[in-house]
Amino acid sequence: MSFDFPTFLVAATFLTGGIWLLDALLWAPKRRRQAAAAASGSGDKAAQAPTGSYKEPVLVEYARSFFPVILIVLLLRSFVVEPFRIPSGSMMPTLLVGDFILVNKFSYGLRWPVLNSKFLDLGEPERGDVIVFRFPRDESVDYIKRVIAVPGDQVYYRDKTIYVNGEPLAQIPLGDYLDDNGQPTGLLEAVEEVDEKREHQILINPRTGDFPHSCTVLGRGPVEVPEGQFFVMGDNRDNSNDGRCWGFVPEQNLVGKAFAIWMSWDSHRDGFPIALGRIGDLIH
C-alpha cells in the first residue's frame, strides 16, 4: 500500500490549523482571563489556580508551530513545484535511474490537492514535453514519459520511427551508447527532432522489434489521439512501458512538466555515487 502524501499534507494542515483556531477562539481567551484574575489577586479560586494552567498547552504549541510550515509545503507542492525520483531506465538517456527531478505544477493548470480537479487552466502539453502523470491503469503510481502526440494527431510507430500526421520524426544517429562507467550497452543513441526548434536524445535496441508482445495499441496502423488525451513514449524506446501498450493519458491525470534535475544519485555507479555534472541540468 503506497503512502498518500498529498492526503497526509491536507489532513495535517486542517488538523494543526483547526487546533490553533479553536485555541484562539475558545481556550486562549479563557486562559488570559484566568491569568489576569490571578495577577490582580481578585477571586480566591483564580488566585489558587496553578500557574501552569495559564500556559499554552503543548498540543496547541506544536499545532501553532507546525501549521505554517505544513501549509507552505502543501501550497508549494500542490501549485508550484514537486520533487520526484526516477526509478527506472525508461527515459534514458534523458533521465537516469537515481535522478531527482523537479516538476512544474502550474504549466498545465492548477489543480486542487487530493481531488486533482483543475480550477485554473494555464496551458496544455506540447509535443516533446516530458510530463509526469498518474498511470491510467493504477492512479496511485506516477509515470514520467515524453509527449509524442496531442489530441487530434494521427500517430504510428514503425521501424523504430515515429510518424505524426503522416510525417516521420527525423533521427540523427550518434553511435553506440555507453553507460556511466564507459561500458558499451548494445544500444544505439540518436537525436530525434520534434520540429525545427526542439530535439531530444533517444535509445534504440536494433535487436528487438517495434513492440513487445503485449503492446498492440499502435500495431495496426495510424491511431488518432482522442480529445482530452495524449500519447506518450519513453526515450528508451525498447525498454519502456508506455502508450504503445496501454493507450493514452487523460488530461485529468496530468501532474506537471518535468524541467530540471536537482540531484543524481546512483549507488551502483563506480566511485563517487553523485553525478555532479547532472545537477542543475534542464530537461528537454
Side-chain angles (χ1 to χ4, degrees):
M1 182 177 180
S2 60
F3 178 64
D4 191 344
F5 191 57
T7 300
F8 167 76
L9 279 179
V10 171
T13 301
F14 276 99
L15 179 62
T16 55
I19 292 173
W20 189 11
L21 180 62
L22 285 174
D23 179 70
L25 296 178
L26 301 178
W27 305 321
K30 182 179 179 180
R31 291 197 305 272
R32 286 195 292 268
R33 288 194 299 269
Q34 291 177 339
S40 62
S42 62
D44 295 338
K45 187 176 181 180
Q48 294 172 2
T51 306
S53 64
Y54 310 136
K55 292 183 179 180
E56 186 176 69
V58 174
L59 180 62
V60 174
E61 182 180 354
Y62 276 114
R64 179 171 55 82
S65 300
F66 283 112
F67 171 70
V69 177
I70 297 173
L71 178 62
I72 291 172
V73 172
L74 175 64
L75 293 176
L76 288 176
R77 190 181 185 277
S78 300
F79 306 128
V80 183
V81 66
E82 183 176 356
F84 286 87
R85 183 182 184 274
I86 302 301
S88 74
S90 70
M91 282 297 292
M92 293 171 58
T94 305
L95 297 172
L96 306 179
V97 175
D99 281 349
F100 291 80
I101 66 170
L102 296 175
V103 173
N104 184 322
K105 297 299 291 287
F106 56 84
S107 289
Y108 308 134
L110 297 180
R111 300 174 184 272
W112 295 114
V114 180
L115 300 177
N116 297 313
S117 57
K118 184 186 291 187
F119 65 89
L120 181 61
D121 192 1
L122 297 174
E124 297 289 343
E126 299 178 351
R127 297 189 200 99
D129 285 359
V130 177
I131 64 170
V132 172
F133 56 93
R134 299 189 308 281
F135 183 38
R137 293 187 177 180
D138 182 359
E139 294 193 358
S140 67
V141 179
D142 291 321
Y143 268 35
I144 182 167
K145 304 293 179 186
R146 189 179 298 277
V147 176
I148 301 299
V150 297
D153 283 345
Q154 297 248 339
V155 61
Y156 185 45
Y157 188 62
R158 182 178 60 202
D159 298 332
K160 311 293 185 182
T161 301
I162 298 172
Y163 293 79
V164 178
N165 298 324
E167 296 294 328
L169 299 189
Q171 294 180 6
I172 304 172
L174 297 178
D176 293 339
Y177 178 70
L178 306 179
D179 63 20
D180 285 345
N181 300 317
Q183 300 300 313
T185 61
L187 303 177
L188 299 179
E189 188 173 9
V191 170
E192 184 174 77
E193 296 181 352
V194 178
D195 53 38
E196 64 276 5
K197 296 181 180 179
R198 301 185 67 177
E199 61 182 30
H200 56 266
Q201 291 176 292
I202 61 171
L203 293 182
I204 294 171
N205 187 343
R207 299 182 299 278
T208 65
D210 289 338
F211 305 96
H213 294 300
S214 61
C215 298
T216 59
V217 174
L218 298 186
R220 298 181 179 178
V223 174
E224 182 171 332
V225 182
E227 188 65 29
Q229 303 194 49
F230 301 87
F231 180 76
V232 299
M233 292 178 65
D235 288 349
N236 190 353
R237 290 289 154 76
D238 299 297
N239 187 25
S240 174
N241 177 27
D242 53 37
R244 290 170 293 179
C245 303
W246 41 259
F248 307 101
V249 178
E251 190 275 340
Q252 61 265 27
N253 284 48
L254 298 177
V255 173
K257 179 180 180 181
F259 69 93
I261 299 170
W262 66 271
M263 173 61 70
S264 183
W265 176 287
D266 185 359
S267 58
H268 300 292
R269 184 181 289 114
D270 288 348
F272 192 56
I274 299 177
L276 297 176
R278 295 183 63 77
I279 297 177
D281 282 356
L282 299 180
I283 299 172
H284 301 291

